[in-house]
Amino acid sequence: MLETLRRFRSFLAPYRGRLAVGAFCTLGSSALTLLQPWPLKVIVDNVLRGKPIHVPFVSVTGWSRAELLDGAIVAFVALVLLGALFDYAGTYLMDSSGVRMVADVREALFAHLQRHSLRFHATQRTGDLISRVMSDIGRIQDMLIQSFSVLIPNVALLVGMMTVMFLIDWSFTLIALAVGPPLFLLIFVYKRRIKGASRRARQLEGRLAAHTGEVLGAVRVVQAFTREDFEEERFSRQSSSTLGANLEATRLQARFSPLVDIIAGLGTAIVLFVGTHRVLSGQLSLGLLLVFLSYLGSLYKPMRQLSKLTYVSAKGVASAERVSEILDAEPDVQDLPGAVAAPRLRGHVRLENVEYAYAPGRPVLHEIELDVEPGQVVAVVGPSGAGKSTFVSLLPRFFDPQRGRVLLDGRDVRTIRLRSLRSQIAIVPQEPLLFDGSIFDNIAYGRAEAREQDVLEAARLALVDDFVRALPDGYDTMLGERGASLSGGERQRISIARAIVRDAPVLVLDEPTSNLDPVSERLLVDALARLLEGRTAFVIAHRMSTVARADQVLVFDGGRIVERGKHDELMQIPGGVYRSFLDLQLGGAAATPISSRRRWRAGR
Ligand SMILES: Nc1ncnc2c1ncn2[C@@H]1O[C@H](COP(=O)(O)OP(=O)(O)OP(=O)(O)O)[C@@H](O)[C@H]1O
Ligand SMILES: [Mg+2]
């Protein structure tokens, strides 16, 4: 657990002051608890048995027994009240620091997650990440609060009591503490086992959360294929293995506390036996035996509390590992040292001998060479899976190529700060991804400082205006999760408007019109043509209407550029890939998207 604290040291730093004051109060409260049995000793030894009394700092010689009793009671009440006050201040200061610190960790975790590359996110399940941000953080919080309010005071109490006991009678103390070693052995063994079990449980819970998220996200498919029973069964299978791991941890914990009680009880029996003998033989006063017994009772209490803490901290440590896994992972797309913010780019794009592989040894892009002048419109065509989306992902550095370089205005993109690079590229992704917010906000998302008129203008250009006018709430219409309340084509148009608002010198449109009817498509292509003026644009398209206007057409197949040139030039190549692609469209139903490789091949 100390390791965990060290790991999160930087998060603790801002609360050092509060924590120090809190720790001081807690220690004060422990010291007062330590003093609490002493008035009892005075009552037993001096009031009841009439022994002469000696109290440090206070002169009580000559007090009657009744006065001594009053004094002892007053002292006792004062100790209790003061102790409570310190306890309150200490607990509040330390626990609130813990809660705040954990909130900071949660924010840092979220910030870090967002900045991880798409490659990282492709290998993680969203639900699992969510469970790290939510429940794992919660467990770390439990652990911190417990360790502040249980560990510190109880360790202080333990140390204090043992010291006082040693001062009173060291040999007796040794006997009383004989149970210590077996107790610690027990704690050690159980802590490891509980930690193992809860680590497993957390992993499985993360998987369960991921699974739930995926099924609910695709509930339309589940219902369409009537796979509810199948999903229920899958869920309950995963849920029961999670349950198993959690039960294991609970079982260990349940067994652990009684074991501690047994050991503590044995200790008390020994002390009672030996202590009574000593009182009988006059080696020890009855009052001191009572002090001893009361310490021992409260000595075992902190031990038990600490053993409870074992459980919470074992769970917390397992969770902290899961959080650290994310915090410690370096994002694989990073600024090179010395990267600078670029001024507004002109949009000259060059790729030199670029190779990219998602999985090592299996490149999906080979030897990509490319030179695009500022302001050119490049159409990218090719069968499904040819690598088109991957290719355009290299420009904003969603991925870095394993070989070769990507240059913007003559600079390696890695020497431009990521923020600055991405601020100059507007993207319409293949899947229009929208947020649960108003239509207006979804468009304005493209640029933080966008003005209202920019947003409305973009909406008009992207033909969003057409369908928004029919909505009762207009641009304030709320979209629901992922824009669920709109049709595919409507989502796509909002996604285009969002890119327009960005006003970037480089535009990437990944099949911007795939969900539109031919009429809307024609209108949008006209609108886009105006937009593309003066900007470098990459348009992935399957349709003739977009491709024919491009300054350059790149034909991808199997991760390579197999043909390139203007539309007219490519049409001249007899039996060429491009030509057969368009022939198929013109010969068959015009403007049919080529969606499968097999179909395309058949056209050759
Ligand atoms: N995250 C990923 N991890 C591993 N492989 C991937 C990943 N994304 C894409 N691929 C693979 O890379 C290849 C190129 O994919 P890409 O998405 O670039 O194709 P595309 O040309 O855009 O196809 P489409 O026209 O269907 O959109 C495909 O074989 C695909 O299976
Ligand atoms: Mg694609």
Side-chain angles (χ1 to χ4, degrees):
M1 196 177 65
L2 286 177
E3 219 170 283
T4 312
L5 285 179
R6 206 171 308 135
R7 171 66 193 78
F8 292 108
R9 190 175 48 205
S10 57
F11 291 100
L12 278 171
Y15 305 109
R16 231 182 278 153
R18 285 175 79 94
L19 280 172
V21 177
F24 174 79
C25 292
T26 309
L27 291 179
S29 134
S30 298
L32 292 166
T33 311
L34 217 56
L35 289 176
Q36 274 179 19
W38 289 92
L40 177 69
K41 179 196 177 299
V42 170
I43 292 174
V44 172
D45 283 351
N46 311 107
V47 177
L48 294 178
R49 310 187 106 195
K51 286 194 184 172
I53 181 166
H54 172 75
V55 181
F57 311 120
V58 196
S59 161
V60 288
T61 33
W63 283 29
S64 70
R65 287 188 179 194
E67 282 169 336
L68 269 180
L69 177 62
D70 292 349
I73 297 293
V74 169
F76 180 74
V77 172
L79 286 174
V80 170
L81 288 181
L82 211 58
L85 192 69
F86 271 96
D87 189 23
Y88 161 73
T91 309
Y92 176 71
L93 283 173
M94 295 214 288
D95 289 2
S96 62
S97 311
V99 175
R100 284 168 209 238
M101 178 202 138
V102 163
D104 295 346
V105 174
R106 195 195 301 263
E107 278 172 29
L109 183 64
F110 179 75
H112 208 74
L113 271 176
Q114 279 200 97
R115 285 180 169 69
H116 266 299
S117 72
L118 293 189
R119 189 213 290 255
F120 170 88
H121 284 284
T123 59
Q124 301 286 328
R125 297 174 74 184
T126 313
D128 183 56
L129 295 179
I130 294 176
S131 96
R132 291 183 204 226
V133 175
M134 303 309 295
S135 11
D136 282 311
I137 292 281
R139 278 158 205 252
I140 297 179
Q141 177 169 317
D142 289 347
M143 173 176 73
L144 281 181
I145 288 182
Q146 290 273 331
S147 42
F148 289 152
S149 57
V150 174
L151 185 70
I152 297 180
N154 283 311
V155 166
L157 259 186
L158 274 180
V159 173
M161 285 178 189
M162 288 203 287
T163 316
V164 176
M165 285 162 78
F166 267 106
L167 290 178
I168 297 173
D169 187 337
W170 63 269
S171 59
F172 190 35
T173 308
L174 280 184
I175 297 172
L177 292 182
V179 296
L183 208 58
F184 280 107
L185 186 70
L186 190 76
I187 291 181
F188 180 73
V189 170
Y190 268 79
K191 183 167 176 153
R192 280 184 43 169
R193 294 178 58 184
I194 294 174
K195 185 166 128 186
S198 60
R199 187 185 293 141
R200 267 194 311 285
R202 292 303 302 143
Q203 261 167 12
L204 292 168
E205 276 168 23
R207 237 191 274 169
L208 195 62
H211 181 73
T212 310
E214 280 158 16
V215 171
L216 294 182
V219 72
R220 182 191 286 254
V221 179
V222 176
Q223 293 188 355
F225 292 90
T226 52
R227 298 306 296 259
E228 293 92 339
D229 294 339
F230 170 75
E231 291 299 347
E232 240 167 74
E233 208 236 309
R234 264 212 305 189
F235 184 89
S236 88
R237 216 172 28 228
Q238 291 194 15
S239 170
S240 62
S241 54
T242 311
L243 178 68
N246 273 322
L247 282 178
E248 163 87 8
T250 315
R251 193 162 46 233
L252 285 168
Q253 171 63 13
R255 207 184 299 156
F256 179 55
S257 283
L259 279 175
V260 172
D261 284 347
I262 291 176
I263 295 181
L266 285 179
T268 311
I270 297 172
V271 167
L272 262 180
F273 183 77
V274 178
T276 311
H277 271 294
R278 293 199 165 199
V279 173
L280 286 178
S281 67
Q283 279 169 290
L284 196 69
S285 77
L286 179 59
L288 277 180
L289 177 64
L290 288 175
V291 170
F292 248 82
L293 280 174
S294 112
Y295 271 6
L296 214 56
S298 32
L299 191 67
Y300 294 143
K301 200 181 94 198
M303 282 189 180
R304 285 190 46 186
Q305 292 231 345
L306 287 177
S307 70
K308 280 229 180 71
L309 178 64
T310 326
Y311 180 58
V312 177
S313 80
K315 291 206 303 189
V317 169
S319 285
E321 284 169 3
R322 280 164 56 81
V323 170
S324 298
E325 242 171 56
I326 307 274
L327 285 179
D328 293 346
E330 292 279 329
D332 52 11
V333 171
Q334 273 189 332
D335 289 342
L336 280 185
V340 291
R344 189 172 168 96
L345 298 169
R346 289 184 308 121
H348 178 212
V349 178
R350 237 181 103 79
L351 270 72
E352 293 177 349
N353 193 26
V354 165
E355 179 176 304
Y356 179 76
Y358 287 103
R362 297 228 319 269
V364 295
L365 290 177
H366 310 264
E367 299 166 22
I368 305 292
E369 292 278 349
L370 186 67
D371 201 335
V372 180
E373 292 299 324
Q376 277 195 337
V377 174
V378 180
V380 181
V381 299
S384 190
K388 305 179 298 294
S389 297
T390 309
F391 157 69
V392 292
S393 303
L394 299 178
L395 299 177
R397 288 188 73 203
F398 288 146
F399 312 111
D400 277 334
Q402 281 86 2
R403 193 181 300 166
R405 298 199 296 168
V406 179
L407 303 154
L408 267 180
D409 284 11
R411 299 182 197 199
D412 190 322
V413 285
R414 286 168 299 183
T415 65
I416 303 174
R417 283 213 195 111
L418 208 53
R419 268 196 95 77
S420 142
L421 173 73
R422 289 186 182 162
S423 73
Q424 314 221 24
I425 301 177
I427 298 178
V428 177
Q430 193 162 8
E431 300 281 325
L433 296 168
L434 303 181
F435 293 100
D436 176 21
S438 68
I439 293 181
F440 185 92
D441 290 343
N442 265 288
I443 298 176
Y445 198 85
R447 186 154 53 102
E449 63 275 16
R451 292 166 304 168
E452 185 173 346
Q453 69 214 61
D454 300 334
V455 173
L456 296 180
E457 169 70 12
R460 210 179 43 73
L461 269 175
L463 309 183
V464 172
D465 221 28
D466 298 5
F467 68 88
V468 165
R469 244 180 278 140
L471 297 170
D473 290 336
Y475 283 97
D476 295 328
T477 307
M478 300 301 280
L479 294 185
E481 200 181 5
R482 294 179 220 188
S485 62
L486 294 181
S487 79
E490 288 164 348
R491 279 202 288 272
Q492 205 164 33
R493 280 180 271 174
I494 292 181
S495 166
I496 291 171
R498 182 167 63 190
I500 294 176
V501 160
R502 193 155 188 81
D503 184 27
V506 180
L507 264 168
V508 173
L509 310 172
D510 197 343
E511 302 194 36
T513 58
S514 57
N515 286 325
L516 299 185
D517 62 275
V519 178
S520 309
E521 188 196 3
R522 173 50 52 91
L523 286 171
L524 194 63
V525 167
D526 289 342
L528 283 178
R530 257 178 293 148
L531 174 75
L532 298 185
E533 259 164 45
R535 303 173 205 263
T536 309
F538 292 84
V539 186
I540 300 181
H542 288 315
R543 302 202 196 179
M544 167 98 185
S545 50
T546 320
V547 178
R549 302 169 182 236
D551 299 302
Q552 210 184 134
V553 179
L554 303 175
V555 183
F556 275 74
D557 197 4
R560 291 175 197 277
I561 302 180
V562 290
E563 285 173 16
R564 67 176 84 202
K566 278 193 184 303
H567 168 75
D568 298 338
E569 295 161 14
L570 295 179
M571 287 306 274
Q572 302 304 317
I573 307 174
V577 181
Y578 181 75
R579 187 171 161 172
S580 55
F581 161 53
L582 288 190
D583 279 352
L584 194 69
Q585 276 192 33
L586 297 174
T592 306
I594 303 295
S595 52
S596 84
R597 197 184 185 101
R598 204 180 307 131
R599 248 167 95 185
W600 198 8
R601 286 266 152 82
R604 269 199 218 171

